[in-house]
Amino acid sequence: VDLPFMLPIAEQDNASIKTELSKWLMVRTVEAWILLKDVSTYFSGEQERKLIEVLEGNPEVCIDRFNLNGNEKHKGKFTKKLEDKLNLPSKVINAKVEDFSILIPKNEIFRLKNIFSENEYSIPSNYIIDKDSVIVDIGGNVGAFSLYAAKWNQEAEIYSFEPNPQVFPLLKINTQNFKNIHSHFFGLGEKNEMLTLYQNPNNTGASSTSSNYVGSTTVEIEIRSAIQVLNELNIGRIDVLKIDTEGAEVPILKSLEP
């Protein structure tokens, strides 16, 4: 495996332990995998993103990281420890909506009503979503829209982008049983850059890179060129595009201009 970088652990490197190179490399690779993919410690740097891409392409290290790091017993399990680390505006509840089980902050349950009951993202009845369709969800939040879109056709490919570390772990857990939903821990924009995200103290869906709020906390997030990312993912067309990025919609659309 051609790893872009490997985290140094001097004590291990200098230890007089006899082993095979392949076994040593596997241990070190798994260590990097656990560190980078633990939902409570997401890294968003360029090198980390490249390493994750390499590891995800290597079936030998695509293992259940939660069994190895000692913090979680089951893959995708939401715990009090994780909730405390996310520091969300309100307590997380497990909402049952149709056939879905969705983890979401309690004060934001209205979003599920808007999407699933009021069908605010409905498409025309004569607009066919088939197995070859591509749906792009920019501003994925906890994954409610992506799950709603999966009802149209469970074979259609859905790409969800969410840069907020408060909610991305919920997005991953909520969509983990849907192989056609691909979640990405960065936002899309006109160019590659790091921006300050103002995390709304009352509503994660109102967090923004353009509007500050009283009581908000800040975090640096990765933004990548929308057109560059779509090209990397071999997305040649978009059948349904949903954008909800609290003021960043125009730069995203500019990036997608031919």
Side-chain angles (χ1 to χ4, degrees), residues 107-229:
N107 291 350
E108 301 174 36
I109 196 73
F110 67 88
R111 190 170 296 116
L112 301 184
K113 178 182 178 182
N114 293 344
I115 295 174
F116 290 92
S117 298
E118 299 177 357
N119 294 297
E120 67 177 6
Y121 291 118
S122 63
I123 57 177
S125 59
N126 61 345
Y127 191 75
I128 305 301
I129 300 296
D130 59 29
K131 63 181 180 63
D132 297 318
S133 296
V134 175
I135 301 166
V136 175
D137 179 8
I138 304 177
N141 198 258
V142 302
F145 169 78
S146 290
L147 293 171
Y148 176 81
K151 298 196 306 176
W152 297 334
N153 191 307
Q154 292 198 6
E155 293 185 71
E157 298 297 327
I158 302 172
Y159 298 86
S160 182
F161 302 90
E162 176 53 57
N164 188 349
Q166 277 187 317
V167 294
F168 184 75
L170 301 183
L171 167 63
K172 289 287 289 186
I173 295 172
N174 287 336
T175 61
Q176 65 182 341
N177 294 325
F178 293 81
K179 295 182 179 180
N180 63 319
I181 299 179
H182 314 283
S183 55
H184 300 272
F185 183 46
F186 53 82
L188 298 185
E190 193 171 3
K191 60 183 179 180
N192 296 330
E193 59 183 336
M194 298 297 293
L195 293 178
T196 298
L197 178 71
Y198 299 98
Q199 296 174 320
N200 189 289
N202 303 308
N203 178 7
T204 62
S207 296
S208 171
T209 58
S210 57
S211 299
N212 197 351
Y213 308 91
V214 176
S216 66
T217 55
T218 61
V219 63
E220 293 298 302
I221 59 171
E222 181 183 11
I223 301 297
R224 299 188 59 202
S225 163
I227 191 63
Q228 177 183 326
V229 169

